[in-house]
Structures are given as structure tokens and as C-alpha cells.
């Protein structure tokens, strides 16, 4: 029999009396099986287990012994009146799963403990480069991450789901998208650059009404006070960063010159688009072979525009650099990720781009992940405290709830996409209420003073349709979610 230390988010390396099999076990909700989040999904089998002090361990052991088992749910007892597979009312029941479903609310009204089971790690790559593979085959995750492969952001429960932007006085009539934050040490201020829909419109008008707005706060989680418009329609998906030469940059899409034949929609109210609003496809940059960069010596502007040359590659055939994000090296050169690896669908895979400086030229290279099945967009790239590359994405393969994609790389060119959701469309507050959203997109991170360890996740929360239809629910806001730190 095996022994587990059941702590919240625990990861235990276990070896039982079953040959040479060993595995890592992550218990999702050991302290609150009635109200804690669980993993619901298709089951390989569900069988009764005799009641006893080691029945949970027996369920875990049975999963470890099956190569095809990656998750389990332990029902103590099975309280539904109907029989399910071999489980009947009143018995403890162990269900084994061939996949690793994303965590979600327990809506069954009975005690359910769920968890993940993975094989023992052999290298730090098995821990998503977010931790260390220990000698006993378990991943020791950095404080900012958890899970059997250290692939899930260790997000702190907020008291409320309150917008970081727009601020309270503008929330009723404003929709925002994304939000990139830079800290200014001299003023102790946090500067956000965020896409905002003009004329009180919602996200259905993003291709005509999106502007880049500046906002400031003394707190990294906001609320951020509205400041000036940095770039008027059309300008979207800003990502702000300071280059090694001290220049502040805003990477984005659009050119700020409007959309010929498609003026900004004005038939909107309450941050929701009017039904008559229509728009064209997105505009990536001012020309087909450049990326438009805003630059300034101050986060308060004024901002100038620079059109940097983008050179194509066979693997990345889209024009320009769509939704670009960059990380700099001390000599001023950079590595960028941008959408555009495969033109067969509007929202495509991301690819690697490099440049000798922020002024370019920008050279496209290879695609991140599986180019035959594009699945990610809206990247955010960074280098961690060990020198490894990481990226967060909006992931299409599990739009809701498992929308948060993560990839890691030793060199910035050869990337591995993980199968764990870095974050989901659920936000659980301190009162254990689960707040569900249809979409959670445009991830950005804020870092500690070293610039290497994340402290806050910024995303968009909305109940707008995943199809992008003008459904009257396209109001959105920017949410700041604090991350556990060392």
C-alpha cells in the first residue's frame, strides 16, 4: 500500500507494490471534496472500492498501474441514485480517465476527490522547465507554478473579480481587451497599455473601433486610471516593453489611420456593440512587409511610429508580424513570437522571429508547435530566472475552460507545447465561489524586480461568443490575477 501526504495542490512521487511502476500524483482538492474544483470527463472505468482508511490510495494505485490512465476521480461515497458503470449508490467509487480534463466546479453534490497521474520525471523538461526534476522522479515546481508537470500558474484567489481596467467610473460604458503593464521605478507607478473599443462599443467592433489607451495605477492589480489615447483607430493588442537602450516600445497591430470604407461604429452603448456594426478583417500593419512600433523615451509619451522591415520565411507565410511579443537580450537583439505560421485558418499558430535590434530587420523562422494542426495565438514570451524561454498563449484546442496555453524552450527556437492549462476561464474567489466566463484571452505577465519571475497575470474576461458573433454579450474587461511568489 502507498502513503500520500494530502496537501492542497500536492505532488507526491509514489511507488507501490506493483513492480517497477512509479508515478507522480497531483491531488486537486484533498481538503474540500464537496466544494473544491474537480476534473469531469470521459471515464475508462468506474469500479467500487471497499470502504476503509486507504481507499483513496487504492484508487490512485489502480490508476498508476494502468499506462492509459492519466487522471482519477474518487467518489466517497457514490450518492447518485442511478448506477454508473459498476458504481452504485452508497459505495465508494473509483473512476479512471484516459485524459486530463480541466478543473471545473463540483456540481454533483457529493464528495469527489480528483487528481492527475503522470509518469516519473526524468529531466527538467518533464517539469515544463518551471521546476526541477528531483532524484525521486517528482517535479519540484517553482513557487509560481504547480501541477504534476509544473504547467499550471499558481494563481492566488482574489476576493472579488474586479476589473483592473476600465476603472469603476468608466466601466458601465467601456470594453477593454488585453492589457500590458510596465512598472516605472522612479515614480512607483504601473503603466498599462490596453486596447479599448471607442464609442462605447464592444468586442464585435474590434477591427474598426480599437484604440490603444494609456492607464496608470499605484497598484499592479489596479484599478488603472484612464489617461490619454496613445493611438487612435485602428490599433489593437498592444504589448509594452523597455529595450536595453532605454527606449519604451509598444508592439501592436494596426496603423492608427482608420479603416477605409469602414468608419468606427457609433451605434453602441454600455460597452456592447450595436447589431448594425460591421467591420473588415484585421489590419496587421501599415504595409504588408513591416511591423508598426510605437516608441518613446517616456511612458507618458509622446509616442512616435516606426515601420520596421519584416523578412519572410517558408514556415511563416503570413504578411507582417501579427500580435507580436518580444524578449530582449542585453546586447539589444531580440526574440519575438507572432501569429502567422499557417494561413489555412484565421487564427493560426505562432512562430519565431529575431532581430538585431528593435529597429529590425525582423527575420521570420519556424512555427511553434505542430504546424499541421495550428492551435495557439496571442503569445506572450519571456525568459525565466534560469535562462529558459517560456510563452503563454490563447489556446484553441480547449477554448473553454482550458484556454491558457503554455510552451517552453531551452533556446527559443525548439518549443514544446504542454498539455496542461496554464489558466482557465474559471476564477475562484476567496469565498470559494467559481466565476465562469466564456473566454479568457490576451495573456500578459508582470515580473518582479529581476524581470524574470512573474507576479501578476493580466487577461481579458468576457462572455462574448467564442465564434466572435455580434451576440449582445461582447462587453469585456481586463483582469489582474496575482501569482504566488517565492
Amino acid at each position: 500500500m502507498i502513503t500520500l501526504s494530502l496537501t492542497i495542490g500536492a505532488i507526491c512521487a509514489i511507488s507501490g507494490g506493483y513492480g517497477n511502476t512509479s508515478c507522480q500524483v497531483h491531488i486537486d482538492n484533498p481538503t474540500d471534496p464537496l466544494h473544491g474544483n474537480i476534473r469531469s470527463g470521459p471515464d475508462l472505468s468506474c469500479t467500487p472500492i471497499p470502504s476503509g482508511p486507504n481507499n483513496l490510495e487504492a484508487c490512485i494505485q489502480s490508476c498508476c498501474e494502468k499506462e492509459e490512465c492519466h487522471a482519477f476521480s474518487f467518489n466517497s461515497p457514490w450518492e447518485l441514485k442511478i448506477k454508473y458503470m459498476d458504481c452504485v449508490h452508497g459505495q465508494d467509487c473509483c473512476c479512471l480517465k484516459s485524459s486530463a480534463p480541466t478543473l471545473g466546479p463540483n456540481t454533483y453534490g457529493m464528495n469527489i476527490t480528483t487528481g492527475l497521474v503522470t509518469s516519473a520525471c526524468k529531466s527538467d523538461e518533464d517539469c515544463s522547465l518551471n521546476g526541477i526534476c528531483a532524484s525521486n522522479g517528482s517535479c519540484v515546481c517553482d513557487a509560481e507554478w504547480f501541477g504534476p508537470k509544473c504547467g499550471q500558474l499558481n494563481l492566488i484567489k482574489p476576493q472579488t473579480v474586479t476589473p483592473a481596467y476600465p476603472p469603476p467610473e468608466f466601466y458601465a460604458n467601456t470594453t477593454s481587451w488585453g492589457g500590458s503593464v510596465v512598472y516605472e521605478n522612479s515614480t512607483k507607478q504601473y503603466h498599462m497599455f490596453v486596447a479599448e473599443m471607442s464609442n462605447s462599443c464592444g468586442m464585435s467592433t474590434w477591427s474598426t473601433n480599437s484604440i490603444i489607451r494609456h492607464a496608470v495605477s499605484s497598484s499592479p492589480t489596479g484599478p488603472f486610471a484612464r489617461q490619454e489615447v496613445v493611438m487612435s483607430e485602428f490599433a489593437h493588442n498592444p504589448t509594452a516593453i523597455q529595450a536595453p537602450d532605454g527606449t519604451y516600445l509598444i508592439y501592436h497591430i494596426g496603423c492608427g489611420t482608420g479603416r477605409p470604407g469602414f468608419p468606427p461604429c457609433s451605434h453602441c452603448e454600455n460597452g456592447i456593440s450595436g447589431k448594425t456594426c460591421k467591420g473588415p478583417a484585421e489590419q496587421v500593419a501599415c504595409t504588408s512587409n513591416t511591423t508598426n512600433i510605437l516608441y518613446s523615451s517616456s511612458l507618458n509619451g509622446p509616442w512616435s511610429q516606426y515601420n520596421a522591415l519584416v523578412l519572410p520565411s517558408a514556415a511563416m507565410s503570413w504578411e507582417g508580424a501579427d500580435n507580436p511579443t518580444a524578449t530582449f537580450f542585453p546586447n539589444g537583439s531580440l526574440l519575438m513570437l507572432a501569429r502567422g505560421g499557417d494561413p489555412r485558418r484565421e487564427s493560426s499558430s505562432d512562430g519565431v522571429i529575431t532581430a538585431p535590434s528593435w529597429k529590425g530587420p525582423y527575420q521570420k523562422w519556424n512555427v511553434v508547435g505542430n504546424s499541421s494542426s495550428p492551435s495557439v495565438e496571442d503569445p506572450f514570451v519571456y525568459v525565466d530566472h534560469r535562462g529558459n524561454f517560456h510563452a503563454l498563449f490563447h489556446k484553441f484546442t480547449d477554448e473553454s475552460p482550458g484556454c491558457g496555453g503554455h510552451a517552453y524552450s531551452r533556446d527559443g527556437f525548439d518549443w514544446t507545447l504542454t498539455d496542461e492549462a496554464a489558466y482557465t476561464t474559471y476564477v475562484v474567489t476567496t469565498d470559494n465561489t467559481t466565476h465562469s466566463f466564456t473566454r479568457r484571452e490576451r495573456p500578459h505577465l508582470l515580473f518582479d524586480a529581476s524581470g524574470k519571475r512573474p507576479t501578476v497575470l493580466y487577461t481579458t474576461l468576457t462572455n462574448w461568443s467564442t465564434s466572435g458573433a455580434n451576440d449582445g454579450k461582447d462587453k469585456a474587461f481586463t483582469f489582474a490575477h496575482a501569482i504566488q511568489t517565492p
Side-chain angles (χ1 to χ4, degrees), residues 88-104:
V88 296
H89 177 73
Q91 292 182 318
D92 288 351
C93 180
C94 175
C95 295
L96 308 183
K97 306 175 188 297
S98 60
S99 62
T102 302
L103 284 169

Side-chain angles (χ1 to χ4, degrees), residues 4 6-10 25-30 56 60 72 113-115:
L4 297 178
L6 297 183
T7 57
I8 295 178
V25 178
H26 173 80
I27 309 296
D28 298 315
N29 55 343
L56 172 59
I60 295 171
F72 64 88
T113 299
T114 66

Side-chain angles (χ1 to χ4, degrees), residues 255-270:
C255 195
T257 55
R259 305 300 305 277
F262 292 92
C265 188
S266 58
H267 307 111
C268 308
E269 59 181 8
N270 302 323

Side-chain angles (χ1 to χ4, degrees), residues 330-408:
N331 65 357
S333 64
L334 64 93
L335 183 141
M336 172 182 282
L337 295 184
R339 194 173 74 170
D342 190 327
R344 291 173 300 171
R345 57 182 285 182
E346 179 192 359
S347 297
S348 181
S349 55
D350 291 317
V352 178
I353 302 173
T354 59
S357 78
W358 66 265
K359 294 183 178 181
Y362 287 76
Q363 175 64 62
K364 293 183 177 181
W365 295 97
N366 58 298
V367 175
V368 174
N370 182 1
S371 61
S372 65
S373 180
S375 60
V376 293
E377 66 158 358
D378 292 355
F380 178 85
V381 66
Y382 68 98
V383 178
D384 71 10
H385 60 290
R386 297 187 186 92
N388 298 313
F389 293 81
H390 295 269
L392 297 179
F393 305 91
H394 170 222
K395 186 170 63 172
F396 290 97
T397 49
D398 191 5
E399 181 92 45
S400 179
C403 58
H406 170 247
Y408 59 86

